[in-house]
Amino acid sequence: MEVTHDLSFLPLIQNASFLVQMVMGMLLLVSMMSWWYIFLKMFAIRQARSQSDAFEEAFWANPDLNKLYKDYLDDSDSAGSLERIFGAGYAEFVKLKKKHGMDNAAVMDGTRRAMRATYQREMDVLESHLSFLATVGSVSPYVGLFGTVWGIMNAFRGLANVGQATLAHVAPGIAEALVATAMGLFAAIPAVVAYNRYSHDTVRLSSRFESFMEEFSNVLQRQP
Amino acid sequence: MSTLAYSEPYKLSAGALALLVHGVFFTLLYFGFSWQMQNPQGMVVDIWEDLPQSEEAAVAPPPPPQAEPVRTEQPAPPRAVKSAPAKAEIELKAKKKTKKPKEEKEEVVARLTPKQLAAQKAAYAKRLQQESEQQAREAERLAQAKEQAAAAGRVVDEYVAKISAKIRRNIVAPPGVSSKIRAEFDVTLLPGGQVMETELTRSSGNNAYDSAVERAILKSQPLPLPPDAAMFNRFRDLHLKFSPD
């Protein structure tokens, strides 16, 4: 590799060896994707929370389940997770109630199963991409480190060809290589923070959904 | 129903925000951080030592006979040496110049009116005067350079003596050393008077005395150096001789 003394930012990347450049490109792509998911999840979780708030308020303020269900059917596109769980449970409850000869416990079992199925689907959507953030957070420092090690290996191999080695011969190569580590860390740190934050948020949402399911079951059980 | 419905509207804005984050980050890296390294200016080295000598060699003409012995044999009083050949040279040249015009003049005289003759004479005189002035200036400049060199030489001598004296004070000579022996050292100095290397070039024959001198050299750090940093080149490699008093 050639020894360069230009340590400005762009030549530092341009002069890196091909493999290091590839690593940098990969890290840049991964970083872009992880930030995209970070913002996507941020919006999604914020929306899920506000929709749940709105629906819970409407649910406890309005004892007429039929009207709630009708509202849900009318505007199912803007419905939040909690509303969809309610809709699935109530639809199943009404269907089972219409069948004669079923005892109350069987009806409640069916309703719970329907709600649980919807709940799991909703949680699956909320948790999607979180594993990607976790992977980026744990792996991209290693990828960056790999690029750095490779770059430093090259720098030292180039050093072997120079008779009298000074720090000025190695420094540019090492600086180039370290850019890869910097990029790895730049991708990893926000991903880890976001992963921890969002997994905490989804756990809170899921416990909120579960308690709603229990409360709603009680409400249904009281229905005549 | 599509459970993914709610995340659709945010895809674009999330992508734009991600791009924005990276854009900000790289702009910050590119403009907010000075990547360029500046080479230190300390690498410029001026070698002063050779300058006066080469000038002397180049400028000094084959000197007049009476000045010759003084110049070649004794470099010690360089001031006297310098001015003597220079003056002689000027006189010589001046004589030549004055002779030549006279001969020419005599040839031309017949064809010239007295007025023209007078004008020509004046021109000659003027030119002669200019030339001699110029030569005088040059000689003066040379003399100044010489003087500076001589002054530098005196400073070097003075500080070499100071260095030797300081080291000598620190020598703890072993008992029973003959005062006739002599140890010679090559000492390499760093700016600031630190000793980089000492090398025994000629042993005194007494190892104890040699190592005593070496210890004294190291102990005398920093060695006294003239305050003018440009003079340091003359002190980089010193050859010092020590004998027990």
Side-chain angles (χ1 to χ4, degrees):
Chain A
M1 57 154 265
E2 75 262 59
V3 174
T4 167
H5 291 285
D6 193 3
L7 282 187
S8 46
F9 185 58
L10 280 181
L12 213 58
I13 293 172
Q14 281 162 3
N15 291 328
S17 69
F18 177 68
L19 194 112
V20 178
Q21 277 177 342
M22 234 168 67
V23 165
M24 286 183 200
M26 210 169 87
L27 286 174
L28 187 67
L29 199 78
V30 162
S31 167
M32 289 286 250
M33 280 179 72
S34 81
W35 273 98
W36 186 52
Y37 284 140
I38 286 171
F39 284 117
L40 212 60
K41 287 271 97 171
M42 190 182 84
F43 291 136
I45 286 175
R46 195 182 286 167
Q47 193 187 26
R49 208 181 287 147
S50 67
Q51 280 173 337
S52 302
D53 284 347
F55 179 73
E56 264 186 339
E57 204 174 312
F59 181 81
W60 293 114
N62 187 358
D64 188 0
L65 294 179
N66 267 321
K67 188 179 172 300
L68 272 176
Y69 185 62
K70 202 173 277 174
D71 284 351
Y72 160 65
L73 286 183
D74 286 346
D75 197 7
S76 69
D77 277 351
S78 70
S81 306
L82 207 53
E83 204 166 356
R84 277 194 286 273
I85 292 173
F86 161 80
Y90 192 70
E92 188 66 24
F93 177 77
V94 171
K95 263 185 231 161
L96 289 176
K97 269 285 179 187
K98 275 180 190 160
K99 283 194 180 169
H100 293 289
M102 287 197 79
D103 64 346
N104 218 4
V107 170
M108 283 320 295
D109 267 358
T111 309
R112 272 170 181 275
R113 272 196 299 274
M115 284 199 292
R116 185 145 290 273
T118 313
Y119 159 79
Q120 258 152 13
R121 217 172 288 132
E122 293 296 329
M123 286 317 295
D124 184 52
V125 171
L126 272 179
E127 281 171 354
S128 66
H129 307 315
L130 277 188
S131 67
F132 178 82
L133 288 181
T135 311
V136 168
S138 55
V139 166
S140 69
Y142 294 120
V143 176
L145 208 60
F146 169 66
T148 297
V149 168
W150 190 268
I152 289 181
M153 269 162 60
N154 268 0
F156 279 116
R157 243 188 16 216
L159 194 66
N161 301 330
V162 187
Q164 199 176 15
T166 61
L167 204 54
H169 286 115
V170 228
I174 292 179
E176 273 164 31
L178 285 176
V179 172
T181 304
M183 288 179 75
L185 291 179
F186 174 70
I189 293 169
V192 170
V193 171
Y195 173 75
N196 286 332
R197 177 74 210 261
Y198 295 158
S199 57
H200 173 70
D201 283 352
T202 47
V203 165
R204 280 183 62 194
L205 274 174
S206 92
S207 68
R208 194 167 163 184
F209 293 167
E210 272 176 335
S211 28
F212 171 78
M213 275 156 59
E214 299 301 318
E215 286 163 348
F216 185 47
S217 302
N218 282 340
V219 171
L220 284 181
Q221 215 158 13
R222 286 201 298 266
Q223 294 278 316
Chain B
M1 68 200 68
S2 81
T3 45
L4 262 173
Y6 62 81
S7 62
E8 288 289 344
Y10 296 115
K11 266 185 178 167
L12 271 180
S13 52
L17 277 172
L19 274 176
L20 186 79
V21 167
H22 285 82
V24 166
F25 180 67
F26 282 106
T27 333
L28 220 71
L29 272 189
Y30 194 78
F31 293 108
F33 193 80
S34 165
W35 292 85
Q36 202 64 43
M37 290 212 314
Q38 283 185 344
N39 283 330
Q41 291 298 309
M43 296 309 286
V44 181
V45 177
D46 287 356
I47 300 176
W48 290 80
E49 220 169 359
D50 289 339
L51 197 60
Q53 282 171 8
S54 62
E55 203 177 6
E56 180 190 349
V59 174
Q66 75 268 27
E68 204 166 35
V70 187
R71 187 184 160 277
T72 45
E73 300 306 298
Q74 283 181 338
R79 194 175 173 184
V81 168
K82 165 61 216 143
S83 45
K87 263 179 199 161
E89 175 199 332
I90 293 162
E91 281 168 9
L92 223 65
K93 276 187 182 169
K95 270 178 195 164
K96 266 185 202 165
K97 285 272 159 63
T98 44
K99 248 180 224 167
K100 250 190 191 169
K102 259 178 199 165
E103 288 162 14
E104 279 174 18
K105 205 162 63 183
E106 276 161 14
E107 286 174 351
V108 186
V109 160
R111 284 178 281 145
L112 294 175
T113 66
K115 202 178 177 186
Q116 279 173 326
L117 198 81
Q120 220 168 33
K121 232 182 193 171
Y124 264 125
K126 205 175 174 187
R127 214 170 67 194
L128 268 177
Q129 199 187 347
Q130 277 175 354
E131 270 173 12
S132 65
E133 267 174 13
Q134 200 178 345
Q135 274 170 347
R137 275 201 297 273
E138 205 167 303
E140 202 174 314
R141 195 171 55 79
L142 266 173
Q144 268 176 5
K146 274 288 170 188
E147 203 176 323
Q148 276 172 4
R154 280 200 300 277
V155 171
V156 169
D157 288 347
E158 181 191 337
Y159 273 89
V160 168
K162 275 187 184 173
I163 289 172
S164 295
K166 186 170 184 187
I167 294 172
R168 205 159 274 136
R169 276 204 302 279
N170 283 325
I171 295 179
V172 184
V177 164
S178 153
S179 65
K180 285 173 192 162
I181 60 174
R182 192 172 66 179
E184 296 185 11
F185 277 88
D186 269 343
V187 181
T188 310
L189 287 188
L190 293 173
Q194 298 297 314
V195 174
M196 191 169 84
E197 203 183 354
T198 61
E199 198 192 344
L200 182 66
T201 49
R202 189 169 161 276
S203 171
S204 62
N206 185 336
N207 287 339
Y209 184 68
D210 291 346
S211 51
V213 172
E214 187 163 1
R215 275 197 302 277
I217 293 173
L218 296 177
K219 197 182 166 192
S220 310
Q221 300 184 70
L223 295 173
L225 286 177
D228 182 8
M231 295 281 289
F232 173 71
N233 276 311
R234 304 208 178 184
F235 292 91
R236 198 181 293 280
D237 297 302
L238 290 176
H239 187 76
L240 300 172
K241 300 168 186 173
F242 299 96
S243 323
D245 339 272

